[in-house]
Amino acid sequence: NAGVTQTPKFRILKIGQSMTLQCTQDMNHNYMYWYRQDPGMGLKLIYYSVGAGITDKGEVPNGYNVSRSTTEDFPLRLELAAPSQTSVYFCASILQGANSPLHFGNGTRLTVT
Amino acid sequence: ILNVEQSPQSLHVQEGDSTNFTCSFPSSNFYALHWYRWETAKSPEALFVMTLNGDEKKKGRISATLNTKEGYSYLYIKGSQPEDSATYLCAPPTSGTYKYIFGTGTRLKVLA
C-alpha cells in the first residue's frame, strides 16, 4: 500500500496563477483532509470530506476549492494564487471510527511569488 | 471553531530530563483525542488515539493521559533524547464530526 500520496512535492507559482494539488489514498478511507502549515501556528484545516460527493469547510477555506468525485482522490484547487498561500500543504485520511489515527501524505511545498 | 490550546508553546530540556505538556479542549461533546509527533520537514505521525476518560497510553518512553471531564490531556516523555526533538500536536474531534482541528503544538528541543 502506498498510503496517502501527494503531488507535486514542490511548486512555484506566480501571483494570480492557478493550480491543483493532488491527493490520493489507497486505504479505502472514507474521510480526507487538507491542511496547511503556517509558521508557528501548527496545522490549519482548509477543507475536509466525509465521502465521495461530500465536502465541508475547515478553518481557513478562503481561496481554495475541493472536490471528491471518488473515495480515493481529494484534489485541492487554488484559483488565484496569492503570496499568503505560500505554505506546506498536507493531505490526510482516516478510516471511519474513533480509534483510528490520521494518515498524512508527505506534503506539497508551494511558493507564490 | 473548536478551541484547542497546547502549552507550553516551546520547551528546551537537557538530554535525560523528563518533561510533560498539556492539551486543553472544551469538555462538552468530546469524541476522541489524538496526539501526533511532527518532525521538521516530515509529516505528522500518530502517537496515540484516546477515547475514554482516564485513558492512559504508553509507547516506549512516551505516555499520555486523558481527562474528558475537565478537558485536558497530558503527554509525558521520560528521559528525553535528542531524537525526541519535534513538535507534538493534539487534535480532539467533537462528537458527530470528524473535523480534526489541531492545537498550535508544543515544540520540544532536547539538548545533548
Side-chain angles (χ1 to χ4, degrees):
Chain A
N1 283 352
V4 179
T5 303
Q6 290 183 238
T7 56
K9 286 185 169 46
F10 306 96
R11 183 73 186 267
I12 298 174
L13 281 182
K14 292 191 186 304
I15 295 171
Q17 285 186 318
S18 61
M19 77 162 293
T20 300
L21 283 67
Q22 301 291 348
C23 175
T24 188
Q25 53 90 12
D26 62 358
M27 298 173 284
N28 204 30
H29 286 178
N30 304 63
Y31 300 155
M32 296 186 74
Y33 303 80
W34 275 106
Y35 292 92
R36 54 178 284 168
Q37 174 185 358
D38 289 342
M41 298 295 290
L43 290 172
K44 292 294 186 185
L45 179 63
I46 306 172
Y47 270 96
Y48 69 109
S49 169
V50 298
I54 306 168
T55 62
D56 205 351
K57 296 177 181 178
E59 301 171 275
V60 289
N62 291 344
Y64 306 95
N65 280 300
V66 293
S67 59
R68 185 96 181 271
S69 56
T70 66
T71 300
E72 295 78 19
D73 300 307
F74 189 39
L76 178 72
R77 178 87 178 157
L78 283 71
E79 290 294 350
L80 289 169
S84 60
Q85 293 178 304
T86 294
S87 188
V88 180
Y89 292 83
F90 288 98
C91 179
S93 70
I94 191 168
L95 183 65
Q96 185 175 1
N99 291 328
S100 304
L102 288 163
H103 295 254
F104 284 86
N106 288 330
T108 294
R109 182 175 294 277
L110 175 67
T111 302
V112 182
T113 60
Chain B
I1 299 289
L2 184 67
N3 190 25
V4 183
E5 294 187 4
Q6 290 190 247
S7 61
Q9 280 196 320
S10 65
L11 194 54
H12 287 70
V13 300
Q14 291 294 132
E15 183 176 357
D17 286 351
S18 294
T19 187
N20 66 85
F21 16 96
T22 307
C23 173
S24 301
F25 52 89
S27 56
S28 61
N29 234 16
F30 176 83
Y31 189 62
L33 186 120
H34 294 202
W35 279 103
Y36 294 85
R37 182 172 178 275
W38 189 15
E39 288 183 71
T40 302
K42 293 187 177 179
S43 308
E45 291 182 38
L47 285 172
F48 305 114
V49 176
M50 310 178 79
T51 56
L52 299 174
N53 185 43
D55 224 358
E56 290 188 28
K57 302 267 185 174
K58 189 173 181 182
K59 190 175 185 177
R61 295 178 290 98
I62 304 177
S63 60
T65 59
L66 178 66
N67 184 323
T68 61
K69 294 189 189 314
E70 296 183 33
Y72 66 83
S73 177
Y74 292 141
L75 190 80
Y76 301 91
I77 301 179
K78 185 177 177 182
S80 303
Q81 299 297 309
E83 57 265 31
D84 295 328
S85 297
T87 296
Y88 292 83
L89 298 168
C90 70
T94 51
S95 179
T97 176
Y98 280 84
K99 197 171 183 175
Y100 289 86
I101 303 293
F102 284 88
T104 53
T106 292
R107 287 175 291 284
L108 174 67
K109 177 75 174 174
V110 182
L111 306 168

